[in-house]
Each structure stands twice: as structure tokens, then as C-alpha cells.
Amino acid sequence: MAARKRGASKQPPPPTESHPKSSEPVATSTDPQITPSKPSKIFLFSLIFFLPYLYLIFYHYTIETELKKSILINASLSFAGFFITLMMIPVASRYVLKRNLFGYDINKKGTPQGLIKVPESLGIVVGIVFLVVAILFQYFNFTADSIWLVEYNAALASVCFMILLGFVDDVLDIPWRVKLLLPSIAALPLLMAYAGHTTIMIPKPLVQYIGTEILDLGWIYKLYMGLLAVFCTNSINIHAGINGLEVGQTVVIAFAILIHNIMQIGASSNPETKQAHAFSIYLVQPLLATSLALLSYNWYPSSVFVGDTYTYFAGMTMAVVGILGHYSETLLIFFLPQIINFLLSLPQLAGIIPCPRHRLPRFDPQTGLLTGTKDGTLVNVSLRIFGRRSEKSLCIILLILQGLGCCFCFFLRWVLTGWYK
């Protein structure tokens, strides 16, 4: 976690654990060193999820040849995006350091690593490569009269808008109450271009009370879409503060989204449903590939910080695919740890309990262990439950919890299938 130097402000402290920058050089700090990435560790980590994903595509389900071809073309472009991101991060790091966009790792304060200037806002690299891959993919998959092209470009416009606003936040340090409005602004292109249905299926146990199986919500549905975008972006932003957590949780959720989409494509006979979930895959595969490249630098010990640019970008991308893929309920269950973290944070967010600038655990430089504080975050609660931990160990525990939350979602869908809807 980076400490930011600035003058006193009358604004209340933002409830985020992003890695802020320092605008002044510190005399005791060491020269920044971009440590080599950790692609081998990331590769082994990815195999845990890629193997079942590939099994579902090539063996378990019978997927139409053209649809499978589009998925594989998108995967190939995403694979190229992974290596481009891997090469561009060190280059971009040197540029942001020249502009004094760096931070200090609070969770290493009192150690030599705590004096190193860590490049900030490297999520901008991931966002740019993602957009390039997603735009190039249009050439291979969409025709000029494709009914999905408008919504696809609207989704990219919303993501691009969120990247811009996230980078502005990293540079200008926007007050946290204003941050809540940023996703609403970024979601406007998607909301204006959305031409899909605004209906919901009523759960079967409630049909007899409501009197209909399908309910048209009209403008309320679009309001719900905007609120979902606000939640997804800010929930990742506040569930943060340790090396690898922001990117790691995105990677786990993205893997779950891919597996869910393939399962729905394989099980459905409705062409529109298949295209909606394929649409989701076309955006999530580039997100996953570029995030894995960033994770290889952001994993403990982190050599770059992702900034609000990345957390906003990742949250908006997942909100977009959940909305246009028509599985927002499932997406919210994938975000179960983020929902818990939000509920734990609510007293401080609402001002009922004092909210410090950084709601981070206490670091002991003698032992290298973190101790949970009374602040309402899942990071601190996990430390209070599991005891003092190293930063790396804590991140692994939190990512396992994220994975268990996604597994619970799949289990819940299996149990409720045929009874709930």
C-alpha cells in the first residue's frame, strides 16, 4: 500500500485501499527497480482454471464450429495481448516514474522494501491493450449489419470512459464521494445504446403471488444496470490494500465468468442466449489475459501498483458483460466477498464510525507479519479470524475465499435449477 504526501484537506478520507502516489521525492528512498515479472508462477496458477475451461469447450459440450472458431480467435488475440502487456509494463513504469507517479508500500514500512519508489497507475497499460485487442477482434467476428455491433462498441466506450476517469482519479486524487459518481457517468454510453429486454423472470415460488412469470421493469431495469456498474467498480476498489489482491480477485472472477458462459452456451438451445454469453467471452478473455500479465508484476513483492485506473476498468468490464450477457444475478454472487467487504465497510462509509485515510492492517517490520485492525474490511477481519499473517499468505487466503465464493455460486445455481426459475 502506498503512502501519499499531500497537504491537509477538509474532505473526509476516502474509503479506498488503492495505491496512491507521492508527488515529492523522499531523500531516504532508494532508486526504483522494476523487478522481473513472475510469468512461471502465473502460468501454474492459470492452469488450475484453464484446464477445466478448455475441457468444457473441446470435450464436454458440443459447440457450433463457427462459435468455437470465434472464441479461439479471440483467445489468440488475448494471448498476444498477454505478451504485449508483459513487455509494455516496464516501459510504462519508467515513464510514470519520470512524472513522479509513484508510491511507497505501507505494508513494508520500516524495511528496505518500504523505501522503494513503486510505479503507480500501471492499470493504464492493461486498459489500453485490452481496448486494442477488443477493437481488432471486431474485424474477425462482426459484420457491418451485426445486431451486436452497436452494443459491443457501446460496451467498449463505457470501459474506455472508465479507464480515463480512473486515470484522472489517480492523478488528481478525486474525493471518494465523487468517485461514486464516476461509474454512473462511464455507464452512460452502454445505457443509451442498450436495446435489449428490460424484463425479469419471476422466481417460480413467487409467481402465484405476483400473477405473472415475466415482469417488465422499464426504466427501473436501466437504473439497476447503472447501480450494478457503480457497485462492481467501487467494490473492487475498496477490497484492496495488499500486493496482488486487486488483480487476483479480478482474475478469479473472470475465470468463473468464462466457465459460466461456456456452461450456458453448451446447455442452451436458444441462439440469442448463446450469442449473449459468447459476447461476454469476447470481452472477458482479453480482460483475463492482460490481468494475468499485470499480476506477474503485481504479485508479492509487487514491483508496480495498479492504481484506481485498473480497479475501475476491471469492475466496469465485468459489469458490462454481466449486463449484456443477462446474468447479473450470477455476477453478484461471484462478487460475494466484495459484498461482504462492502457490508463490513458500510458503518465507516456512512460516517457512523470514523474512517481513516488507509484502512490497512498494522505491519510489524521485525516479524514481517500483518495484524488486523478494527477497521471494517475483509482484509482486517480475515487477519482477526486466521491470526497474524505475512502479506503473501493473506493474499492467498483472500483469493481462496474468492474462489470458494464463485464455487458457491455454481453450487447454488445447480441446486436451484428448475425450482427457482
Side-chain angles (χ1 to χ4, degrees), residues 38 41-42 45 105 107-108 113 241-245 295 298-302 361 363 367-370 379 383 388-400:
K38 313 166 187 71
K41 294 181 180 179
I42 301 304
F45 173 72
D105 203 326
N107 288 330
K108 299 178 182 64
Q113 284 183 316
I242 60 177
N243 291 173
L245 180 56
L295 185 60
N298 186 242
W299 187 251
Y300 182 91
S302 177
F363 175 70
T367 62
L369 300 178
L370 298 173
V379 170
L383 284 171
R388 302 173 70 197
R389 297 275 173 172
S390 66
E391 187 175 359
K392 181 179 180 180
S393 174
L394 176 60
C395 185
I396 292 174
I397 289 176
L398 292 170
L399 294 184
I400 290 174

Side-chain angles (χ1 to χ4, degrees), residues 395-413:
C395 185
I396 292 174
I397 289 176
L398 292 170
L399 294 184
I400 290 174
L401 291 175
Q402 186 73 60
L404 291 175
C406 293
C407 291
F408 172 73
C409 178
F410 286 117
F411 173 75
L412 197 62
R413 286 185 59 88

Side-chain angles (χ1 to χ4, degrees), residues 214-389:
I214 304 294
L215 181 63
D216 190 353
L217 297 180
W219 65 269
I220 298 177
Y221 189 85
K222 289 196 174 184
L223 176 62
Y224 164 73
M225 290 164 56
L227 293 176
L228 180 66
V230 171
F231 171 76
C232 289
T233 52
N234 285 284
S235 64
I236 291 181
N237 196 34
I238 66 175
H239 184 39
I242 60 177
N243 291 173
L245 180 56
E246 298 98 320
V247 190
Q249 63 185 296
T250 300
V251 166
V252 174
I253 296 173
F255 271 122
I257 290 174
L258 287 179
I259 291 175
H260 169 70
N261 285 319
I262 287 297
M263 291 173 66
Q264 294 304 306
I265 289 174
S268 176
S269 58
N270 187 335
E272 184 178 349
T273 299
K274 291 185 177 184
Q275 285 300 322
H277 286 283
F279 179 97
S280 176
I281 290 176
Y282 300 152
L283 292 179
V284 174
Q285 285 187 153
L287 169 67
L288 177 58
T290 53
S291 295
L292 284 171
L294 180 59
L295 185 60
S296 67
Y297 288 97
N298 186 242
W299 187 251
Y300 182 91
S302 177
S303 56
V304 301
F305 288 152
V306 301
D308 290 345
T309 308
Y310 177 79
T311 57
Y312 288 161
F313 150 70
M316 178 57 74
T317 304
M318 289 188 284
V320 162
V321 299
I323 291 169
L324 296 182
H326 307 302
Y327 57 90
S328 56
E329 291 177 348
T330 300
L331 181 67
L332 284 175
I333 304 177
F334 285 152
F335 273 75
L336 184 59
Q338 286 73 22
I339 294 175
I340 295 173
N341 184 67
F342 171 74
L343 295 176
L344 291 171
S345 303
L346 199 55
Q348 289 183 314
L349 299 180
I352 301 172
I353 298 175
C355 181
R357 168 63 181 155
H358 301 297
R359 302 184 302 157
L360 293 175
R362 289 191 301 271
F363 175 70
D364 184 355
Q366 302 299 323
T367 62
L369 300 178
L370 298 173
T371 304
T373 66
K374 294 182 179 180
D375 289 316
T377 66
L378 190 57
V379 170
N380 285 303
V381 171
S382 298
L383 284 171
R384 295 202 295 267
I385 294 175
F386 297 108
R388 302 173 70 197
R389 297 275 173 172

Side-chain angles (χ1 to χ4, degrees), residues 22-329:
S22 173
S23 58
E24 300 177 10
V26 179
T28 57
S29 66
T30 60
D31 292 332
Q33 296 179 352
I34 308 301
T35 56
S37 60
K38 313 166 187 71
S40 58
K41 294 181 180 179
I42 301 304
F43 176 74
L44 293 175
F45 173 72
S46 304
L47 281 180
I48 300 174
F49 301 97
F50 272 129
L51 290 179
Y53 178 59
L54 295 175
Y55 167 79
L56 292 175
I57 293 177
F58 292 103
Y59 183 77
H60 189 75
Y61 293 115
T62 302
I63 300 175
E64 290 86 345
T65 303
E66 284 300 316
L67 186 55
K68 186 184 295 185
K69 178 182 176 182
S70 295
I71 293 174
L72 293 179
I73 291 174
N74 183 268
S76 300
L77 291 172
S78 302
F79 191 62
F82 169 82
F83 288 103
I84 293 172
T85 307
L86 211 61
M87 293 185 293
M88 289 301 299
I89 286 177
V91 177
S93 297
R94 292 192 289 270
Y95 280 97
V96 298
L97 285 170
K98 289 179 182 179
R99 304 304 301 172
N100 286 333
L101 286 171
F102 62 85
Y104 298 100
D105 203 326
I106 289 179
N107 288 330
K108 299 178 182 64
K109 188 176 181 180
T111 67
Q113 284 183 316
L115 298 174
I116 296 176
K117 298 176 182 178
V118 182
E120 173 64 278
S121 303
L122 268 298
I124 190 69
V125 176
V126 176
I128 291 173
V129 175
F130 168 87
L131 289 173
V132 170
V133 170
I135 291 170
L136 287 176
F137 176 67
Q138 295 185 60
Y139 174 79
F140 298 97
N141 191 70
F142 296 108
T143 59
D145 58 347
S146 174
I147 59 174
W148 286 98
L149 189 58
V150 173
E151 290 187 351
Y152 187 84
N153 284 320
L156 293 185
S158 291
V159 173
C160 183
F161 208 167
M162 198 70 256
I163 293 170
L164 171 63
L165 294 175
F167 190 70
V168 168
D169 183 22
D170 280 333
V171 174
L172 301 182
D173 188 31
I174 298 172
W176 72 268
R177 283 189 173 87
V178 179
K179 293 180 182 182
L180 294 177
L181 299 175
L182 297 183
S184 302
I185 299 172
L188 285 176
L190 177 63
L191 297 179
M192 295 302 101
Y194 182 75
H197 64 73
T198 56
T199 59
I200 59 171
M201 292 182 62
I202 302 300
K204 291 181 179 179
L206 300 179
V207 170
Q208 58 179 326
Y209 301 104
I210 298 178
T212 180
E213 295 183 356
I214 304 294
L215 181 63
D216 190 353
L217 297 180
W219 65 269
I220 298 177
Y221 189 85
K222 289 196 174 184
L223 176 62
Y224 164 73
M225 290 164 56
L227 293 176
L228 180 66
V230 171
F231 171 76
C232 289
T233 52
N234 285 284
S235 64
I236 291 181
N237 196 34
I238 66 175
H239 184 39
I242 60 177
N243 291 173
L245 180 56
E246 298 98 320
V247 190
Q249 63 185 296
T250 300
V251 166
V252 174
I253 296 173
F255 271 122
I257 290 174
L258 287 179
I259 291 175
H260 169 70
N261 285 319
I262 287 297
M263 291 173 66
Q264 294 304 306
I265 289 174
S268 176
S269 58
N270 187 335
E272 184 178 349
T273 299
K274 291 185 177 184
Q275 285 300 322
H277 286 283
F279 179 97
S280 176
I281 290 176
Y282 300 152
L283 292 179
V284 174
Q285 285 187 153
L287 169 67
L288 177 58
T290 53
S291 295
L292 284 171
L294 180 59
L295 185 60
S296 67
Y297 288 97
N298 186 242
W299 187 251
Y300 182 91
S302 177
S303 56
V304 301
F305 288 152
V306 301
D308 290 345
T309 308
Y310 177 79
T311 57
Y312 288 161
F313 150 70
M316 178 57 74
T317 304
M318 289 188 284
V320 162
V321 299
I323 291 169
L324 296 182
H326 307 302
Y327 57 90
S328 56
E329 291 177 348

